Amino acid sequence: MKDSPRTARWRFAPPLLLLAVGLLVLGAEVTAYRRHLRQLARAASTGPQTIPQMLKLIGDHLDPRAVLYLNDERAALLEAQLKAPNAGMSPIDHVKIESRYADELLKAGKTEQALQEFHLVEQQIQAHAPPALWRQARLYLLTQEAIGYLRLGEQQNCCASNNAYSCLLPIAVPGVHTKQFGSRSAIRCLTTVLRAQPDDLQARWLLNIAYMTVGEYPKGVPPQWLIPLKDFGTAPFPRFYNAAPQMSLDLLGLSGSVIMEDFEGNGLLDLMISSTSPTGQLRYFRNNGDGTFTERTKEAGLMGEVGGLNLVTTDYNNDGRPDVVVLRGAWLGSSGHYPLSLLRNDGGGHFTDVTLQAGLLSLGPTQTAVAFDYNGDGWLDLFVGYESTDGDPVPCKLFRNNRNGTFTDVTARCGLHLTRYVKAVISADYTHSGRPGLYISCQGQPNVLLRNDGPAGPDHSPTAPWKFTDVSRQSGACHGTGTFSCFFFDYDNDGWPDLYVGGWGKIRSVGDIAADYLGLPTPAAKSHLYRNNHDGTFTDVSRQAHLDKVIEGMGINYGDLDNDGWPDFYVGTGTPDLETLVPNRMFRNHGGRYFDEVTVSGGFGHLQKGHGIAFGDLDNSGQQDVFEVMGGAYEGDTAHDCLYVNPGSHNHWVTLKLEGVRCNRIALGAQICVTAATPQGERKVYRTVSTGGSFGNNPLRQEVGLGDATAITAVTIQWPGSGTVQVVRGVGLDQFYRVREGEAVARLWRVPHFRLPARPAPGAMPIMPGMTMK
C-alpha cells in the first residue's frame, strides 16, 4: 500500500528518533574543535598562567555544541534556531528542534519552561503525525513530562526547603512535599502511561516515588503497580540522622567529591568538597571542635580552584601534612583537556597550588588517580587514569616522586601502555609481596589488574624502571565491561585485601533497576565482590555475599558503622539521566560472610544522585559518621549534600594515627593487626591505611571497631616500603593514639571531644510511624 504524502513525511521518524536529545558537533566540526582545544591547552600550558587562570581560559572556550552539560547555553542555541527566519522548515524539523529545546531546558533546571515546551511538542505532533505514531509519541512525551513534574516537585520542596528527611526513601513526614502540584501532575502522566503499557517498569518505579512524595505510599499506589521496599534494607538497624541542614553543611550543587581529613593537625576532621561544574568552587570547611564548621575557602587560598569531579589525598612532599590532588574533565570527552591540581598543605588551613612547580601539568579528562609508593622508597608516587575516547586517546600516566617536590613521568619507562576509558584506579599489596599493585576500572573494555613485580633489571634504585605485569585474565577479578567505582578492603578479615567493583552501565532506564529489584531479567551491569585467594587470584563471591545486584554506583566508600570490626560500605547511586531517582544504598557486613542491606532502616536511602563519600569520626566520639556529596551532572540537577550522624553503639574501638619514618610519613599502605581479648577468646582485626574507596576520601587515621573486646593485647604494624614489623603494646580501648615507626610505645593522643546533633532539632517532626513494608 502506497503511503499518502502526509504519512510518508513521518514514516522514517519514530518517536525516539524524532524526539532524540543532544545536539552534536559532527564530522569536520568535531575535528576542528578538537584541534582548537589542543591548541588552547598548549597555549595555556606554555604561558605564565597559574592553574586558576588556565581553568578560566579553558572554561571560557568550551563549546556548548560539544559539551552535553552546558545545558543553559545549549538551550539558548536551540532557542535561536527556533526564532530565526526559517522559511521552508518542515514540521518534522521544527518539532525535532522544539523537543531538543525542551530537553535542554529541563536539564538546565528551567523546569516550568521545559514543561511548556513539551506541551507544545505534543500539540505539534498531534496536529501533523498519523494517529498510530501520535499514540506512540504521546506515551513517550507523557513520560518526559512526568520526569519534568517530578523535578519541579523536587525544586519547589527538597531544594527550596531542605530538611533532614528530604528525599529519603520511603519519603515520610516531614519529607513529604508541601507543594504537591509537580508530583500530582507526574502521577497523572504516569498513570496514563501504565494504563496503555502495564509492563512499563520505568513508569511504575517513578509512580511509586511520586506517591511517596505526596505521603500516599504504599496505600495510595494502585496495587497492581505497587513496588514494596522490603529488599531495600528494612532489617533492624540504628537510624542515622542527616544533620547537614542543621549544621549548614547541606550545600546545594552538582556532583563532586569530599575529603574528610585532619588538615590542620589538631585532631579534628575538616571537610574539603569539590564540584564537577566548570565554575564550581572547591570549598574548605574547618571543624571548630564544638559541633560546628566554618567555611574557610578564601582563607585557605583556594579561590579560583574550580571544577573537579574527584579529589585524592596524598602527601607528595613527605612532611606529614595531607595534600590534595584535584581531578578534572571527566565525562567531557575531547572538551575535558583540563589540568589536574596538586594542592600543597602549608599548615594552618592554607593550601598552595604547586602543580606547575611539581611537574604535574597533564591535560586530559580524568576523575581518578591513586597515590601509592610503587618503588618502596618512602615517597608517594601518583598514577592518573584518563578517559580515552575514539579519536581522542589519552594514555594513563605514572608519575614517580623525585623526593624533592617534583615528579617525573615514567609511564613509558615502566612499560605501561594503557589507553582506555578509565573510571577508577586503586592500589593495594594484594599479593603480600611488599609491592602495591594497581586495579583499573574501565567502561566499555575489561578491567585491568597490574601486578607490581619490582625493578625491571638489576638496578634496584628508586629511579630504575619498574615492571608491572598485566595479570587481568588469570586473576579472576576482571569480569565484564560495565564498572565504575571500586575499592580494596578486607571484608572477611583474614588479613588479605579483597576487592569490590561496582557495576554501572548497560542500563536502558531506571526500569532496569526496578527489574533487578523485582527479580526480573535485565541487561544492566551488576556489582562484583572478589575474595582474595592468597595466591594472586580472586574468586567472585557476589552471589554468596548477597551483592549480585544492579546498583548503578558512582560514589563509593567503606567504614564500620557499628564498630563490630567488620567493614560496611555505602554506594552513591545514579546516572546522569534525571529520571534515575534511586536510593543510595548501605550494606552492613554480617560477620564477613554476607552483607545485609540497611538502606531504609538506617536512613541512608537518599533518592538524589550520590557521589563522593567519606566515613569518619567527625566529633571524636569513636563512632563513624558519613558525609556524601549529592547532585548530578546536568546544570539543573542540583541536590543538597548529606551528613549522616552515627547514633552510637555499645561496641569498643581504638583510633590509630600512624607516622612513618622510613616509609611515607602518612603511612599510606601500612598494614595493621589489632589483637584483642574478647569473651569468646582472642580476636584479630585487620586494617590497611588508605582513604577507602575510589570516589571520596576517608581520614588517614584508622578508626578500628573492636566489638565486645575487653582489652587490646597488641597492635602489630607492617610498614610499607621497608617491610618492618612493629609490635606496640599498652594500647587501651576507646582511646586515640599516635604510633611512630620504630617506637614500641604508642602515645596517647588527646583530641577534643564533642557530639554532633544525632536527632532532629527541637520542633522538628518525627518520621511518620506505621509505614508498612510488605
Side-chain angles (χ1 to χ4, degrees):
M1 179 177 175
K2 187 176 180 180
D3 292 323
S4 68
R6 180 182 177 191
T7 306
R9 183 195 307 168
W10 292 88
R11 184 176 181 185
F12 299 105
L16 293 183
L17 173 63
L18 174 68
L19 303 174
V21 298
L23 186 60
L24 301 177
V25 182
L26 300 175
E29 290 185 70
V30 170
T31 303
Y33 183 55
R34 287 173 175 165
R35 189 182 304 116
H36 164 71
L37 286 172
R38 292 191 184 101
Q39 291 171 349
L40 179 66
R42 282 196 294 270
S45 64
T46 56
Q49 291 88 2
T50 63
I51 292 296
Q53 288 172 332
M54 292 173 62
L55 295 175
K56 186 175 187 310
L57 178 64
I58 296 171
D60 287 347
H61 287 79
L62 289 176
D63 189 338
R65 295 174 299 168
V67 180
L68 296 176
Y69 308 106
L70 297 178
N71 306 110
D72 200 36
E73 294 180 58
R74 289 166 67 86
L77 290 174
L78 290 164
E79 183 181 26
Q81 284 186 263
L82 291 170
K83 291 182 176 179
N86 53 13
M89 180 184 287
S90 68
I92 185 172
D93 289 334
H94 190 275
V95 78
K96 285 169 66 176
I97 297 173
E98 194 89 51
S99 64
R100 290 170 178 167
Y101 180 47
D103 185 73
E104 292 297 343
L105 287 171
L106 182 59
K107 291 172 178 174
K110 297 181 177 180
T111 310
E112 292 180 277
Q113 189 179 350
L115 288 166
Q116 292 173 3
E117 292 298 322
F118 277 125
H119 291 313
L120 284 176
V121 172
E122 190 175 349
Q123 294 169 11
Q124 292 169 11
I125 296 179
Q126 186 176 18
H128 296 284
L133 181 60
W134 156 240
R135 286 192 294 270
Q136 186 180 358
R138 182 168 182 262
L139 294 177
Y140 173 79
L141 282 168
L142 282 170
T143 302
Q144 294 304 106
E145 290 169 18
I147 294 168
Y149 281 123
L150 284 170
R151 185 58 189 159
L152 180 64
E154 293 164 0
Q155 290 174 318
Q156 293 179 341
N157 296 273
C158 311
C159 294
S161 54
N162 185 51
N163 65 58
Y165 303 103
S166 294
C167 292
L168 279 181
L169 185 85
I171 300 171
V173 176
V176 170
H177 293 184
T178 56
K179 297 181 179 180
Q180 296 191 351
F181 170 76
S183 293
R184 296 287 180 189
S185 299
I187 290 171
R188 172 179 52 79
C189 294
L190 294 166
T191 299
T192 302
V193 172
L194 284 166
R195 283 173 180 161
Q197 299 177 162
D199 296 330
D200 188 330
L201 287 177
Q202 176 187 17
R204 184 178 170 187
W205 176 267
L206 294 176
L207 182 71
N208 280 260
I209 299 298
Y211 271 108
M212 288 182 197
T213 65
V214 297
E216 296 178 5
Y217 177 91
K219 294 182 179 180
V221 184
Q224 69 272 29
W225 298 325
L226 176 66
I227 297 179
L229 295 182
K230 58 183 178 62
D231 291 333
F232 274 130
T234 57
F237 193 77
R239 188 173 181 91
F240 283 55
Y241 171 64
N242 178 17
Q246 194 171 334
M247 299 177 64
S248 298
L249 287 173
D250 58 334
L251 310 183
L252 180 64
L254 299 177
S255 54
S257 189
V258 59
I259 297 178
M260 186 186 294
E261 187 53 78
D262 180 7
F263 284 113
E264 303 187 23
N266 56 8
L268 297 167
L269 297 177
D270 311 299
L271 295 169
M272 186 178 288
I273 302 168
S274 70
S275 169
T276 189
S277 168
T279 58
Q281 173 63 52
L282 183 65
R283 302 176 72 175
Y284 178 69
F285 292 84
R286 172 184 286 170
N287 189 332
N288 297 321
D290 58 4
T292 66
F293 287 76
T294 299
E295 182 166 6
R296 303 273 300 174
T297 301
K298 183 177 181 180
E299 294 84 349
L302 297 175
M303 297 305 294
E305 294 286 348
V306 296
L309 183 57
N310 202 2
L311 304 171
V312 171
T313 307
T314 187
D315 180 16
Y316 86 103
N317 56 0
N318 222 20
D319 64 358
R321 292 193 291 256
D323 309 308
V324 176
V325 178
V326 185
L327 301 161
R328 303 184 175 96
W331 298 108
L332 298 182
S334 298
S335 301
H337 285 257
Y338 275 84
L340 56 77
S341 282
L342 174 62
L343 304 178
R344 183 185 67 210
N345 185 344
D346 302 320
H350 188 273
F351 299 83
T352 298
D353 192 318
V354 294
T355 311
L356 302 177
Q357 302 94 300
L360 279 180
L361 182 59
S362 180
L363 302 168
T366 178
Q367 67 165 45
T368 185
V370 64
F372 72 132
D373 182 7
Y374 79 86
N375 56 6
D377 66 350
W379 293 70
L380 292 174
D381 313 295
L382 186 69
F383 184 92
V384 183
Y386 288 98
E387 295 178 354
S388 291
T389 53
D390 291 343
D392 189 35
V394 187
C396 299
K397 292 186 178 181
L398 174 63
F399 295 95
R400 186 191 66 225
N401 195 320
N402 297 326
R403 302 188 291 180
N404 60 3
T406 69
F407 290 81
T408 296
D409 183 348
V410 295
T411 312
R413 292 192 68 202
C414 292
L416 292 171
H417 306 287
L418 192 69
T419 304
R420 301 192 182 190
Y421 197 84
V422 177
K423 297 307 297 178
V425 56
I426 52 177
S427 178
D429 180 10
Y430 73 93
T431 59
H432 278 198
S433 64
R435 297 184 297 269
L438 291 168
Y439 187 86
I440 300 160
S441 172
C442 309
Q443 279 281 307
Q445 291 177 282
N447 294 346
V448 178
L449 180 62
L450 298 176
R451 187 183 65 212
N452 185 339
D453 289 333
D459 182 3
H460 283 221
S461 70
T463 59
W466 223 252
K467 182 180 180 182
F468 291 86
T469 300
D470 187 337
V471 294
S472 309
R473 182 167 299 181
Q474 59 265 45
S475 72
C478 295
H479 298 99
T481 59
T483 63
F484 201 126
S485 295
C486 52
F487 53 75
F488 282 107
F489 76 143
D490 187 4
Y491 86 94
D492 56 0
N493 195 47
D494 65 354
W496 291 73
D498 309 298
L499 176 63
Y500 178 83
V501 184
W504 194 91
K506 303 180 181 178
I507 182 174
R508 298 162 299 189
S509 74
V510 71
D512 280 323
I513 297 175
D516 182 70
Y517 177 74
L518 293 169
L520 301 174
T522 168
K526 293 188 176 183
S527 299
H528 294 276
L529 177 66
Y530 298 103
R531 186 186 63 223
N532 194 319
N533 296 327
H534 307 183
D535 61 0
T537 69
F538 295 80
T539 296
D540 190 335
V541 294
S542 310
R543 184 173 297 276
Q544 300 94 301
H546 304 171
L547 292 176
D548 56 331
K549 303 173 184 288
V550 175
I551 299 177
E552 291 297 287
M554 297 183 294
I556 191 168
N557 217 325
Y558 66 90
D560 187 355
L561 296 175
D562 51 6
N563 278 339
D564 65 352
W566 302 96
D568 317 303
F569 70 94
Y570 191 38
V571 183
T573 60
T575 71
D577 298 324
L578 294 177
E579 66 171 50
T580 314
L581 296 171
V582 295
N584 293 246
R585 301 172 72 172
M586 182 70 81
F587 295 90
R588 177 180 179 267
N589 192 328
H590 195 90
R593 298 188 300 278
Y594 58 88
F595 289 81
D596 289 320
E597 185 164 357
V598 294
T599 296
V600 171
S601 55
F604 300 106
H606 204 291
L607 287 167
Q608 298 301 320
K609 296 171 178 61
H611 286 82
I613 294 170
F615 285 69
D617 181 9
L618 281 170
D619 54 6
N620 290 337
S621 63
Q623 317 290 330
Q624 288 188 326
D625 312 296
V626 183
F627 190 91
E628 182 177 24
V629 178
M630 308 296 296
Y634 295 120
E635 285 180 331
D637 198 8
T638 56
H640 289 277
D641 296 346
C642 299
L643 170 58
Y644 300 103
V645 176
N646 196 320
S649 73
H650 298 294
N651 287 328
H652 293 288
W653 52 272
V654 67
T655 295
L656 303 170
K657 173 68 172 177
L658 273 55
E659 179 184 343
V661 177
R662 294 177 61 192
C663 89
N664 65 89
R665 285 284 298 279
I666 61 174
L668 203 65
Q671 298 171 22
I672 302 170
C673 175
V674 179
T675 304
T678 77
Q680 297 78 35
E682 184 180 86
R683 180 189 183 189
K684 296 181 183 295
V685 178
Y686 296 92
R687 290 291 183 270
T688 298
V689 177
S690 77
T691 59
S694 57
F695 210 137
N697 299 256
N698 294 343
L700 292 164
R701 70 188 195 187
Q702 295 302 291
E703 300 157 352
V704 185
L706 296 171
D708 60 353
T710 57
I712 297 173
T713 56
V715 175
T716 304
I717 302 167
Q718 182 170 334
W719 299 89
S722 67
T724 302
V725 176
Q726 175 178 336
V727 179
V728 178
R729 303 191 187 277
V731 176
L733 293 170
D734 305 334
Q735 300 288 344
F736 291 74
Y737 290 91
R738 290 179 178 271
V739 182
R740 183 177 170 86
E741 183 179 7
E743 295 181 1
V745 178
R747 292 168 288 164
L748 190 64
W749 186 17
R750 301 193 182 280
V751 299
H753 292 274
F754 53 96
R755 289 308 303 262
L756 297 176
R759 58 185 60 86
M765 299 177 68
I767 294 178
M768 181 183 295
M771 180 86 49
T772 302
M773 301 297 176
K774 294 186 178 180

